[in-house]
């Protein structure tokens, strides 16, 4: 299993609760923390229709879309992490 955690200084909304992506052989799990609870989205890897990176000056975001219309927009990762995520999910 691979786990990627966004940088805390990437954006104001990531400073306390950075985005997290966990990738295993079956699912992609997205965690977004909040003051009260958290938001978790799980997409089976065989339902992923597109994965792409959005690269900014210092950090990068990853967008994952599924056949069921679910969408994950995880923000504030290192550029190398986003390249790894895209490579892993498009094999």
């Amino acid at each position: 299993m691979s786990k990627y955690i966004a940088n805390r200084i990437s954006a104001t909304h990531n400073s306390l609760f950075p985005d997290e992506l966990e990738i295993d052989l079956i699912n992609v799990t997205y965690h977004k923390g909040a003051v009260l609870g958290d938001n978790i989205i799980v997409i089976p890897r065989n339902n992923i229709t597109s994965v792409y990176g959005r690269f900014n000056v210092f950090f990068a975001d990853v967008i994952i879309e599924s056949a069921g219309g679910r969408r994950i927009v995880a923000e504030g990762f290192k550029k190398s992490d986003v390249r790894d995520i895209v490579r892993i999910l498009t094999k």
Side-chain angles (χ1 to χ4, degrees), residues 15-90:
S15 59
L16 292 176
F17 307 105
D19 291 356
E20 295 181 20
L21 273 177
E22 292 181 18
I23 303 171
D24 60 28
L25 294 175
I26 300 171
N27 294 318
V28 174
T29 306
Y30 169 71
H31 298 268
K32 178 63 179 172
V35 175
L36 299 173
D38 59 354
N39 185 21
I40 298 174
I41 299 174
V42 179
I43 297 178
R45 284 182 66 169
N46 59 356
N47 285 352
I48 293 174
T49 57
S50 68
V51 179
Y52 54 96
R54 183 171 52 204
F55 296 91
N56 302 311
V57 175
F58 298 108
F59 299 103
D61 308 329
V62 64
I63 296 94
I64 303 169
E65 296 176 341
S66 74
R70 300 200 95 178
R71 185 174 194 207
I72 294 173
V73 179
E75 302 175 318
F77 292 91
K78 294 187 295 186
K79 293 179 181 181
S80 60
D81 285 350
V82 171
R83 287 186 191 98
D84 287 345
I85 292 166
V86 171
R87 180 183 50 76
I88 289 168
L89 295 178
T90 58

